[in-house]
Amino acid sequence: LVLCPSHQSATRVKANRKEIVLAKLRKSFSCTPRKLKNFAMDFFPVLRWLPKYQCKEYIWGDVMSGLVIGIILVPQAIAYSLLAGLKPIYSLYTSFFANIIYFLMGTSRHVSVGIFSLISLMVGQVVDRELLLAGFDLNDDATPALGHGSLQTDSQSNTTVFNLTTEGMNAECGKECYAIGIATALTFVAGVYQVLMGVFRLGFVSMYLSESVLDGFATGASLTILTAQVKYLIGIKIPRSQGHGMLVITWINIFRNISQANICDIITSAICIVVLVTAKELGDRYKHKLKFPLPTELVVIVVATLVSHYGNLNEVYSSSVSGAIPTGFIAPKVPRFDLMIRVAVDALPLAVVSFVFTVSLSEMCAKKYAYTIRANQEMFAVGFCNIIPSFFHSFATSAALAKTLVKTSTGCQTQVSGVISAMVVLLVLLFLAPLFYSLQKCVLACIIIVSLRGALRKFRDVPARYHVNKVDTAVWVVTMSASALISTEIGLLVGIVFSMLCIIVRTQQPRTALLGQIQDTNFYEDDLEYENLSSVPKVKIFRFEAPLYYANRNYFLKSLYRLTDLDPNLEAVRRKKYEKKEKQHLKKGNQPTVNGLGSRDTTLQLVPKQIDFQALVVDCSSIPFLDTTGVNTLKEILKDYKELNISILLACCNPSVIDSLKRGGYFGKDFGSMQEMLFYSIHNAVRFAKDQKLTADCSV
């Protein structure tokens, strides 16, 4: 059997393709020292930049910013433990491990990763729900309620013990133990989601969280945080509300129990808020003169702790205090798998929000200081900032805007500053934590509430936002309201869905216009928006400001027929009826009138309409793409208007639209008529239409 040359060539091509594919696979799955080195340096960016660290130039700024962030981080970590419904020691663990891991894996030089109020709130809501389902009372100081399981009270330690049966194994676990178990399981699953998103390169998910959605979510969550802290401000004991409508329920409970307010806590809260707000306002006003921000939170905590300790505020006035904070580290523990299953759904929005805030802040800093980050590596970094610390009794983390801004303003150059901050937290963990025993919870609540100033100030921007864009304002209001009145997770989902619906509606009913020519120029604009535009004789110019696809096809046709005052389908039917009627009269021998019909049977609706244009130019400059329905719609109007001897000319089409038209057969099989149907500018199309009309008139 002898193969002809063409068969031999085809066989060779197939063999070559097979060899190329096999070579690529071998290269992809090969393991060489060079590939291992590159993988390690990509996975741990610190290996690339730390050997090039310019100590003399960078060290002072890194040490200064690290110390300042560490000083700010300690009181915030203790305060945010109230949001998460956990003991302060776990917040300190979280802050320590997050800074160390991001130092090794992060690509941003300036972002501050650690405990964050919104993330703490989301963790706290899940912890509260699971504690309630397990039969624990959410009131910090209340007697535990009986629930699903056996609850016992140890008279010596006054702690609740919960008998848990997990996979045939009995374990006694108190409220604190169960709460941190839920938090670590949630954090581990969120970290796994983030790593998987990095593996499958799903960073594009962040694109669906617009600025309006994020701002609305942050503001709504801030209202929830504020509401949750009011009971600590005034010293009343009410259960932590759980589920949808938590904000409203909490305020109802506050007003019902307002008579039980603790005078000592109210006075302390008022003094702390005045001091903190005054210091923040002065710091904002004179920030250009200050080399670093004032450590107001730390000063307030130290002074308040001393006053509470020596004034015996807990014993004399029953003021609620932080309690014992142990030193050192608890032995690592694997997060429980059965709890992971319970919180798997809750971990998804937590993972997305954590990643989005981290990447957004990283990109902001990279743009400001002229360097690049790798969004995919950032997803790995924040993922492992959750996975690894979850074994060490820590909960979810994210980049925090306020601390990042402080970090950049105090001379931070690299993530060495994060290590310095971690050392400050470590110092507190090992030696200083017990000193905060007498710190009042109302002081921590004040720190949290004052830290919400930035998010709550967004309400002042609503009029300006409305003036700029009404749709974005609606997205902000809906997201904020849903986040505050329903729940944070539902609010985020509502915001995303509503913003996407707004986009769909805007593309379904976009702006349409007839254009007129600006006198003595080659430019054309909307004749309703601008004055003194001249219309082009016998030519209509139609603009459609959206992609033409299946959802807005009907709107495109209705707008076109309305603005041109001509529906080609109705006109074609009218002409056919007219011709049919005329033929009937001619058969009867009647003399047609001027309009072609006998006066006896003349009906106005059968008289053909006098069309005042012979060419229709479609301005495609605002049409980014066409789908199959869009191409068929243009083919349809081309055919319909052609029956009325009206030319359809397309102008300003982008390459994507032209390619769709070619593949859809709009220009015919050989594209021979393409030069007479497609133009690079409106003016060229208008000139062609005029020349076409002139030629037709000369031929007549």
Side-chain angles (χ1 to χ4, degrees):
L1 179 65
V2 180
L3 293 174
C4 65
S6 62
H7 284 105
Q8 291 177 350
S9 176
T11 305
R12 254 195 319 273
V13 169
K14 289 182 179 179
N16 290 338
R17 286 178 181 172
K18 185 178 180 181
E19 290 175 3
I20 291 171
V21 170
L22 290 174
K24 287 184 176 180
L25 288 174
R26 280 195 296 268
K27 186 177 179 181
S28 299
F29 291 99
S30 63
C31 185
T32 62
R34 183 181 180 84
K35 289 191 71 174
L36 284 175
K37 180 183 176 182
N38 289 335
F39 174 79
M41 296 184 79
D42 286 340
F43 199 69
F44 297 102
V46 66
L47 299 177
R48 290 188 185 275
W49 62 263
L50 191 59
K52 303 174 185 177
Y53 187 79
Q54 300 174 21
C55 190
K56 291 183 179 179
E57 185 178 349
Y58 293 162
I59 192 64
W60 172 248
D62 283 341
V63 169
M64 179 59 69
S65 66
L67 288 173
V68 171
I69 291 298
I71 291 170
I72 293 173
L73 198 57
V74 170
Q76 281 195 351
I78 297 173
Y80 289 166
S81 63
L82 294 179
L83 292 176
L86 302 168
K87 296 296 181 181
I89 189 67
Y90 303 124
S91 300
L92 294 171
Y93 289 158
T94 302
S95 301
F96 173 75
F97 286 109
N99 277 284
I100 296 296
I101 295 169
Y102 192 81
F103 162 76
L104 298 173
M105 300 187 66
T107 59
S108 174
R109 302 174 194 169
H110 300 89
V111 84
S112 177
V113 174
I115 194 167
F116 183 38
S117 59
L118 296 185
I119 301 299
S120 299
L121 173 69
M122 295 175 76
V123 170
Q125 289 178 336
V126 178
V127 169
D128 287 350
R129 184 195 69 206
E130 294 301 320
L131 285 175
L132 200 62
L133 292 174
F136 292 102
D137 196 310
L138 295 183
N139 191 353
D140 299 330
D141 305 310
T143 304
L146 292 176
H148 307 294
S150 169
L151 285 170
Q152 300 171 355
T153 303
D154 188 343
S155 59
Q156 295 178 350
S157 61
N158 195 28
T159 59
T160 305
V161 177
F162 184 56
N163 287 336
L164 297 169
T165 304
T166 307
E167 298 177 355
M169 182 175 64
N170 261 335
E172 288 192 346
C173 188
K175 178 181 175 182
E176 177 187 340
C177 165
Y178 192 67
I180 190 60
I182 292 291
T184 54
L186 177 68
T187 301
F188 181 86
V189 177
V192 170
Y193 285 157
Q194 289 166 335
V195 170
L196 290 176
M197 289 166 70
V199 169
F200 294 107
R201 301 186 178 278
L202 299 178
F204 68 88
V205 172
S206 63
M207 295 187 298
Y208 295 100
L209 296 176
S210 65
E211 182 180 347
S212 298
V213 171
L214 286 175
D215 282 350
F217 171 72
T219 307
S222 297
L223 291 175
T224 304
I225 294 171
L226 172 65
T227 300
Q229 300 310 302
V230 171
K231 71 173 186 177
Y232 297 111
L233 285 182
I234 60 179
I236 61 175
K237 293 179 174 59
I238 59 173
R240 294 180 64 164
S241 302
Q242 180 60 34
H244 302 329
M246 179 273 259
L247 183 138
V248 176
I249 295 170
T250 302
W251 278 108
I252 291 173
N253 289 332
I254 288 171
F255 285 115
R256 281 179 177 173
N257 296 274
I258 196 72
S259 59
Q260 302 172 11
N262 189 302
I263 299 298
C264 178
D265 284 345
I266 293 175
I267 295 173
T268 304
S269 299
I271 294 172
C272 289
I273 288 177
V274 169
V275 171
L276 288 168
V277 171
T278 303
K280 293 290 184 184
E281 292 296 330
L282 290 174
D284 291 343
R285 182 174 297 181
Y286 300 106
K287 61 183 177 182
H288 301 295
K289 297 181 180 180
L290 297 172
K291 292 184 179 180
F292 55 87
L294 299 173
T296 315
E297 291 93 343
L298 186 64
V299 173
V300 167
I301 278 185
V302 170
V303 173
T305 303
L306 292 173
V307 171
S308 175
H309 176 73
Y310 290 105
N312 295 320
L313 301 185
N314 177 242
E315 294 81 2
V316 177
Y317 299 101
S318 301
S319 181
S320 182
V321 296
S322 298
I325 304 177
T327 56
F329 289 91
I330 304 173
K333 185 178 180 182
V334 178
R336 288 173 43 186
F337 182 75
D338 62 315
L339 296 181
M340 292 181 199
I341 297 173
R342 295 179 67 91
V343 299
V345 175
D346 303 290
L348 187 58
L350 184 69
V352 173
V353 172
S354 172
F355 159 70
V356 168
F357 274 102
T358 302
V359 171
S360 300
L361 288 176
S362 300
E363 289 177 344
M364 181 188 76
C365 293
K367 183 178 180 180
K368 183 176 180 180
Y369 294 97
Y371 63 91
T372 58
I373 65 159
R374 289 184 286 132
N376 218 49
Q377 179 61 27
E378 286 295 300
M379 197 176 292
F380 284 126
V382 74
F384 281 101
C385 279
N386 287 323
I387 291 176
I388 297 173
S390 68
F391 290 85
F392 297 91
H393 310 279
S394 303
F395 56 92
T397 58
S398 171
L401 175 61
K403 290 192 285 290
T404 299
L405 294 178
V406 171
K407 205 171 183 180
T408 57
S409 66
T410 50
C412 172
Q413 299 293 330
T414 67
Q415 280 300 331
V416 169
S417 64
V419 177
I420 304 297
S421 300
M423 293 304 104
V424 175
V425 176
L426 181 63
L427 181 67
V428 175
L429 276 170
L430 295 180
F431 306 107
L432 305 179
L435 300 178
F436 297 105
Y437 176 90
S438 298
L439 178 61
Q440 293 167 272
K441 289 185 177 180
C442 64
V443 176
L444 300 177
C446 291
I447 292 173
I448 293 173
I449 289 173
V450 173
S451 71
L452 302 175
R453 286 163 61 247
L456 296 177
R457 279 177 174 172
K458 297 290 183 182
F459 284 103
R460 297 193 310 187
D461 300 335
V462 172
R465 189 189 293 268
Y466 182 80
H467 180 72
V468 172
N469 193 302
K470 296 179 178 60
V471 175
D472 283 349
T473 307
V475 171
W476 183 89
V477 170
V478 169
T479 308
M480 183 273 297
S481 303
S483 299
L485 299 177
I486 305 175
S487 71
T488 50
E489 295 86 353
I490 297 295
L492 183 63
L493 180 62
V494 167
I496 294 172
V497 172
F498 184 74
S499 63
M500 294 178 72
L501 286 176
C502 287
I503 294 172
I504 293 172
V505 169
R506 291 171 80 174
T507 58
Q508 280 186 316
Q509 296 186 343
R511 281 175 53 107
T512 56
L514 280 185
L515 308 185
Q517 186 175 13
I518 302 175
Q519 295 181 3
D520 302 324
T521 69
N522 298 336
F523 302 104
Y524 301 79
E525 279 300 340
D526 185 351
D527 55 6
L528 295 179
E529 294 289 333
Y530 298 89
E531 297 179 353
N532 301 322
L533 298 181
S534 57
S535 59
V536 181
K538 298 296 181 180
V539 178
K540 298 277 189 182
I541 307 168
F542 176 72
R543 175 184 288 168
F544 189 74
E545 300 181 2
L548 180 54
Y549 67 116
Y550 68 94
N552 61 16
R553 172 189 181 276
N554 292 333
Y555 185 79
F556 173 86
L557 294 175
K558 288 179 181 178
S559 300
L560 176 63
Y561 299 160
R562 175 175 53 83
L563 291 174
T564 58
D565 196 24
L566 176 65
D567 185 338
N569 297 309
L570 294 179
E571 183 61 23
V573 171
R574 187 182 287 116
R575 291 192 177 191
K576 286 179 181 178
K577 288 183 178 180
Y578 168 79
E579 291 172 359
K580 182 179 178 182
K581 199 73 173 177
E582 188 178 44
K583 287 179 182 179
Q584 290 176 354
H585 279 275
L586 288 174
K587 284 180 181 180
K588 292 178 181 179
N590 295 338
Q591 292 295 324
T593 62
V594 177
N595 288 328
L597 293 174
S599 57
R600 181 180 54 182
D601 299 310
T602 301
T603 53
L604 186 60
Q605 62 269 25
L606 295 183
V607 177
K609 187 174 183 177
Q610 295 298 320
I611 301 174
D612 60 348
F613 64 98
Q614 296 176 351
L616 175 64
V617 178
V618 180
D619 176 13
C620 300
S621 60
S622 300
I623 301 179
F625 68 86
L626 302 171
D627 69 349
T628 305
T629 304
V631 173
N632 290 336
T633 302
L634 291 178
K635 290 169 69 176
E636 179 184 326
I637 65 170
L638 178 67
K639 174 179 171 294
D640 292 342
Y641 279 100
K642 189 176 182 180
E643 293 179 357
L644 303 180
N645 295 321
I646 297 174
S647 304
I648 299 294
L649 311 176
L650 305 182
C652 306
C653 296
N654 64 46
S656 171
V657 171
I658 295 173
D659 185 56
S660 297
L661 292 171
K662 285 180 178 178
R663 286 187 280 107
Y666 182 83
F667 303 111
K669 292 183 179 179
D670 55 356
F671 309 138
S673 58
M674 185 172 171
Q675 293 181 347
E676 298 179 355
M677 302 170 69
L678 186 66
F679 300 88
Y680 288 103
S681 70
I682 298 175
H683 190 65
N684 287 346
V686 171
R687 286 177 58 187
F688 178 82
K690 287 182 177 179
D691 293 342
Q692 199 177 36
K693 176 181 177 298
L694 185 62
T695 304
D697 291 343
C698 291
S699 63
V700 173

